[in-house]
Each structure stands twice: as structure tokens, then as C-alpha cells.
Amino acid sequence: MNRIVVVGNGPAAHRLVERLRSHGHAGRITVLGREEHPAYNRVLLGAVLDRTLTPATLALPIVDAEVHLRVTATEIDRTRRVVRTDTGDEHPYDVLVLATGSRPRLPEIPGLCGERLQALRTLADCARIGSAAGPVAVLGGGILGVEAARALLASGHEVTLVHPNPHLMDRQLDDVGGRLLAERLGKLGVELRLGRRAVAYRRGRLVLDSSDVVPAGLVVACTGVTAETRLAVRAGLPVRRGIVVDDRLRTSDARVHAIGDCAEHDGEASGLIASAWEQAEALAELLAGGDTRYRGTRTVTRLKARGIDLASIGSVDCLESTDAEVVTLSDPARGRYAKLALREERITGAVLFGFPEAIAAVSQLHDRDLPVPTDRLALLLGTPAAVPGAPAELPDDAVICRCNNVTKKALTAAWRGGARSVPELARATRATTGCGGCVDDVGRLCGALADRTEHQEEGAA
């Protein structure tokens, strides 16, 4: 099992290669990527759109693999165990990993096509959107649509967000959280059209089903994605919402695996970056001879929009359950709202708006499946004495920076390597360079490590 071929060059594929080498795999790894860019962090595209980050800063570290760019895999010959590409090449494999991601679903609207309709999925998409002039309409009020609308507003565009449902991010938020998010976006300057659909496009104007007309030189579609399974279908592999895999992330062919957006595990195709990273970690360990299993990923969604502290944790449906303990804290005067659903003292669902300190603590409690403290109010208000799991006390594999998948272990290693401040840790690990929501946690870890080092030095003296 020396030859591993990975189809796809996104964050999941990159993480897999990185972890394979970390686990000691010394064989040949070939990566086939369709884009012209080396692997980059798609999670941060909004920061490129609002010009907070440059495209170059999204680049992921170079990995020890044979990476082919601008190459599309066209066929898998499972009998001969080769992957054929549009360049006419064949790449033999002992193990094949499909990390083909997903493709955007574009709406069919009369009059809207070509350069007036643009998805947001790649750096090339960002470049095309960024070069547009005039007003922009964003279709879809899910997390990507909200992030895109906020980013476009920050870059100087007049922005209208059109969403067919009554409140924003309806898959992640309850109606109160959705309403508060709409109010915040409205105050920032985003024009909202909720409960409306686009039905036509005419010369710089988007027509809604209410007959309202929205000015739009460009329409950005954030209307969902479809798992990229066409290669798997042609190869005769089982596909439902995604490429069906088991707990070892294997398809029906034991030599072919799938991870990331294209994979469906236990009936779920989450499309979340955290799932992709955990699947990549599990598969790397398995391919290196380990005996781990992938059991699914706990859902934590953090909105990456400048000036908005918002997170959704677990299942939003749990917030309305009559079987759960529900804790609610509402502070409309300050635009703050929190709601937790608990079962057996564990968090099953949460919405946190305007409570940045609580977001970090609640996320870690949910990730580690730990009981919440008895003082629920103190937890939500971020009172240090009531918040267990301070960064220094977390296990090494706890993820501190979700945007860049930076663990406590990586930060501690960087600290020991000489990065003794938050900016230095950011340069060494990329932590805090995404949405910025982990800045306080990284700062607290930095302080704790400094205190620990000082005490050790005093003890040695």
C-alpha cells in the first residue's frame, strides 16, 4: 500500500496528506487538483472578499506530495487500479481517496445567466466578484450568504440579501436568533428581502415574487451545494446524497475512500470543514495502520462576519424540545441573546449571539461532551470562575482556532519554539487569522504558558 492517489486539492485533501506524513507514511502520494491555485483555506474566502486578507494568505503549507494542478480526473479503472485525467495521463494507486468536494447549485432565473450570475466557492469566484462595480444582490440567507453580504458591504458595495425563508440562517438559528441577525445586518447597511424569491432579471434589476425590484449589476448565488460525486457514479460506487462510506471511510470498494464534502457517512453529508478535517485525520491514521473509526463530527458553526459574534452549536431543533432543559438569556438592548438546550447536563444545542466569551467555552464543552457548570448564567456571561476548560487545561487535541484547525498542541509547540505573543503565535500557526473569534483564547493560553514557565524557572532556582 505504497501508492496513494488523492483526487481533489482542497482543505480535506491537504489535511489528509499532512497527517499521513505525520503518522509515518513514507510511500508515494499523488494529489490531483482542478484549480490553478495550490491548496488554500476555503473557509476564509469572505475575508478575501472584504479585503481583510489577500488570496496569498489563504495558502496552506506545502506538503510532501506530488501535486498536479489544473488536472481533472475523468475516470477510475477499479480493475487496473488507475485514475485517468483530462491530460491523458494515468495514475496508478494502491489506495484511492476521493476528496472532490462539492459544486454550487445555481438558481434558474429567467434573464439571469453568464457574467451577471456568480457563485462563491473558489478564489477565482472571489476575483470575479471583487472586480464587479455597482450594486450586488446576494441570493440565499444561509451562513455563506450572510458572510458574503457582510463582506461585500465592507468592500464598498450596495448590497441586498434575498432569502426565501422568514429568518436568516434557518438551519442554524431559531427565529429569535435569526431576527437579531437581520437587525444587525440592517443596521450595518445590508438591505434585506426575507420570505422572497427572485423570479426574473432585467438589465441590472432583480425582480422578486412580490414585484419589488432590487438593483443588481451582479447576483451572487449562495443557494446551496451538491456533493461532487460524478466521478464516483461513473466508477459504479454507491452514491446517495454523497459517496457512501462506512466508519473506516471506505466505499463499497475497500481500496477507495471518500472524505469531505463529497462523502456521506451514516446518512449525513454535512459539508462542514470540521467534518472534513476529522475525516482526514481518521483516514490518515487508518491508512498508517491504526484502528480508529470515524463516528461523526459534533456541529459547531461560527459566523465569520466582521463585527458579528454568532455561533450555532449542535442541533437547532433541540432548542424547542420539551424533553430538554432550556436556558435562555435575552438582552435586546445590547443586541445579545443566548439559548442552550441541555440533556443530562450536556449541551445538545445552542445559539449564542453577542457573547464572544461564552462562544469559546460552550463550544469546548460541546466538543468534549463535558457537563456544564451549575451556574448557567455565569457560563453565558463568560465569568472566568464558572467557565471550565480554560485553554491551558484543555487536552492537547482541543481545537482552539476553528478557521485554521489549530490545536492547543500546535500552539504550545509554537510557544516552546519561541513564539511568545499572540501576533507571534499567529505567524507561526495561523491561529487568529481567520474570523478572529479565538484571539482571547489564544491570549489566555499565551498567558498561562508564560505563568507556567515562570513558576518552573522559580522552582528550578
Side-chain angles (χ1 to χ4, degrees):
M1 196 192 71
N2 292 321
R3 300 173 300 180
I4 297 176
V5 173
V6 184
V7 180
N9 192 33
H14 180 275
R15 182 69 173 170
L16 174 66
V17 176
E18 188 178 63
R19 299 307 297 156
L20 278 168
R21 295 306 190 198
S22 176
H23 284 295
H25 178 78
R28 180 178 180 179
I29 303 175
T30 302
V31 178
L32 307 176
R34 295 182 63 179
E35 291 187 59
E36 62 180 303
H37 301 281
Y40 59 90
N41 192 346
R42 297 184 194 278
V43 174
L44 302 178
L45 286 176
V48 173
L49 204 55
D50 72 7
R51 302 178 185 142
T52 302
L53 298 176
T54 65
T57 60
L58 269 61
L60 294 169
I62 295 173
V63 291
D64 180 12
E66 180 184 309
V67 180
H68 299 263
L69 303 179
R70 296 181 294 277
V71 169
T72 300
T74 57
E75 184 183 358
I76 302 168
D77 185 332
R78 293 198 284 137
T79 302
R80 293 182 54 224
R81 295 205 297 273
V82 297
V83 178
R84 299 188 180 95
T85 69
D86 59 350
T87 59
D89 295 322
E90 290 189 347
H91 298 274
Y93 67 84
D94 297 306
V95 171
L96 173 62
V97 180
L98 301 177
T100 47
S102 57
R103 61 183 186 275
R105 289 198 300 263
L106 296 178
E108 295 183 3
I109 298 171
L112 184 60
C113 58
E115 62 183 15
R116 298 300 181 186
L117 177 64
Q118 179 62 56
L120 176 55
R121 191 68 184 165
T122 66
L123 277 173
D125 294 338
C126 273
R128 287 190 287 268
I129 294 169
S131 65
V136 178
V138 177
L139 298 183
I143 185 167
L144 180 60
V146 171
E147 290 176 353
R150 179 66 183 101
L152 287 163
L153 183 74
S155 64
H157 287 278
E158 176 187 338
V159 181
T160 302
L161 177 57
V162 181
H163 186 51
N165 294 320
H167 73 260
L168 297 171
M169 289 178 59
D170 40 279
R171 292 185 179 180
Q172 294 87 17
L173 303 179
D174 61 355
D175 56 352
V176 177
R179 185 177 69 250
L180 285 172
L181 176 58
E183 290 175 359
R184 178 66 60 83
L185 286 174
K187 288 177 181 177
L188 289 169
V190 176
E191 190 72 25
L192 296 170
R193 295 287 189 273
L194 302 181
R196 296 300 177 196
R197 297 179 182 274
V199 296
Y201 184 81
R202 300 169 187 160
R203 293 185 181 181
R205 296 175 300 159
L206 191 65
V207 182
L208 308 184
D209 56 3
S210 60
S211 298
D212 288 345
V213 175
V214 171
L218 177 70
V219 177
V220 178
C222 300
T223 47
V225 296
T226 299
E228 183 52 84
T229 62
R230 289 175 290 190
L231 185 63
V233 169
R234 289 196 294 271
L237 298 170
V239 169
R240 293 196 291 259
R241 293 172 59 198
I243 304 167
V244 179
V245 296
D246 62 14
D247 288 353
R248 287 177 168 269
L249 298 162
R250 296 175 303 193
T251 67
S252 59
D253 183 333
R255 291 183 178 271
V256 182
H257 301 255
I259 59 173
D261 287 3
C262 69
E264 177 183 330
H265 172 265
D266 198 22
E268 294 289 331
S270 75
L272 298 175
I273 190 65
S275 300
W277 277 325
E278 289 192 17
Q279 289 170 2
E281 175 64 45
L283 183 56
E285 187 173 338
L286 283 164
L287 295 180
D291 193 33
T292 190
R293 296 289 188 276
Y294 176 70
R295 304 296 189 188
T297 301
R298 291 177 174 268
T299 304
V300 178
T301 304
R302 182 80 186 257
L303 184 69
K304 291 168 286 297
R306 192 188 302 179
I308 304 175
D309 290 307
L310 173 61
S312 172
I313 297 167
S315 170
V316 68
D317 295 334
C318 295
L319 300 177
E320 306 303 325
S321 172
T322 57
D323 298 329
E325 175 192 349
V326 178
V327 181
T328 304
L329 175 58
S330 181
D331 183 9
R334 293 180 176 84
R336 300 192 300 177
Y337 171 70
K339 193 171 185 178
L340 302 180
L342 310 174
R343 277 198 180 92
E344 298 179 354
E345 302 298 307
R346 266 74 173 174
I347 296 166
T348 57
V351 169
L352 299 164
F353 191 99
F355 289 100
E357 297 86 359
I359 288 174
V362 172
S363 297
Q364 290 294 348
L365 288 170
H366 180 261
D367 280 352
R368 313 304 302 180
D369 195 26
L370 296 173
V372 300
T374 55
D375 191 340
R376 320 296 205 220
L377 180 60
L379 170 66
L380 293 176
L381 292 175
T383 305
V387 179
E393 300 166 355
L394 292 170
D396 284 347
D397 63 351
V399 177
I400 305 297
C401 173
R402 292 181 177 277
C403 292
N404 291 292
N405 198 37
V406 183
T407 62
K408 176 196 167 187
K409 181 178 180 180
L411 287 163
T412 302
W415 167 273
R416 290 172 179 161
R420 297 302 175 92
S421 67
V422 173
E424 289 173 353
L425 286 169
R427 285 192 289 272
T429 67
R430 301 172 69 89
T432 77
T433 62
C435 70
C438 63
V439 170
D440 290 341
D441 276 347
V442 173
R444 282 191 284 267
L445 178 60
C446 194
L449 291 171
D451 290 342
R452 184 180 298 171
T453 301
E454 182 179 345
H455 291 156
Q456 290 172 345
E457 290 174 349
E458 289 175 354

